Amino acid sequence: MKDINAEPLRIKKKGEDGYKLISVRISEDTLSELDRIAAETNYSRNELINIILRHGVNNIIIE
């Protein structure tokens, strides 16, 4: 039987997961739409915002 204490438990410090916590002001209408989409798709608001931002950043055309 393998000794589970032989291997150290490795965890990352909070905040070192590649994500940063920021604060953003958005309109109430936009927030309502995000909440509607979240309810319909079973994604969290945070997951949706990250998906939308990733898509926007990857597909932006600067003229």
Side-chain angles (χ1 to χ4, degrees):
M1 182 173 177
K2 187 174 182 178
D3 182 4
I4 62 172
N5 293 320
E7 295 182 31
L9 173 63
R10 298 186 187 276
I11 59 173
K12 293 182 178 181
K13 292 182 182 178
K14 191 170 184 176
E16 293 186 10
D17 60 355
Y19 289 85
K20 297 292 179 191
L21 179 63
I22 63 168
S23 181
V24 177
R25 288 173 42 106
I26 61 173
S27 72
E28 290 181 15
D29 291 342
T30 301
L31 183 58
S32 293
E33 282 298 303
L34 280 171
D35 287 341
R36 181 190 63 76
I37 295 166
E40 188 175 319
T41 61
N42 292 321
Y43 280 97
S44 71
R45 185 190 293 164
N46 182 68
E47 289 171 314
L48 281 176
I49 291 169
N50 274 286
I51 290 167
I52 293 165
L53 285 173
R54 189 175 316 113
H55 177 77
V57 167
N58 290 336
N59 293 286
I60 194 167
I61 298 172
I62 300 172
E63 297 179 341

